Amino acid sequence: MQAFEIIGGILLVLISISMIVIVMLQEGKGKGLGAISGGEAGGSYGKNRAKTLDAILAKYTKICAILFLVVTFAVWLLSIFAK
């Protein structure tokens, strides 16, 4: 079972690095003083919102977070039952 723990650890590192890169590629939600008044001059709304780069990156961030939790839980279960 130790091999599964090593593979799980490698997967966790890869998922963590990819999640960091994806989050760093996203634009910040607050864009200067325009964010205070709630104004979003260049925002895309409606049908095209799902196709923007930030929407795609946000989707991949959620997928990476879920994968991270699942792999962490699996490694934890394997370490408990391997003893």
Side-chain angles (χ1 to χ4, degrees):
M1 286 296 193
Q2 195 172 19
F4 289 118
E5 290 176 6
I6 292 171
I7 293 170
I10 292 171
L11 280 174
L12 286 174
V13 169
L14 291 175
I15 293 170
S16 299
I17 291 171
S18 64
M19 194 170 2
I20 289 169
V21 170
I22 291 171
V23 168
M24 294 299 289
L25 287 173
Q26 293 179 14
E27 287 188 31
K29 296 292 179 190
K31 297 180 181 177
L33 293 176
I36 293 174
S37 63
E40 183 72 30
S44 60
Y45 297 103
K47 296 179 185 175
N48 293 332
R49 172 142 170 75
K51 295 181 181 177
T52 62
L53 182 61
D54 274 343
I56 293 169
L57 291 174
K59 179 177 138 181
Y60 286 140
T61 302
K62 291 174 189 173
I63 291 170
C64 282
I66 291 169
L67 280 174
F68 185 83
L69 290 173
V70 168
V71 171
T72 303
F73 188 70
V75 169
W76 173 70
L77 281 177
L78 286 173
S79 67
I80 287 177
F81 293 120
K83 294 178 182 178

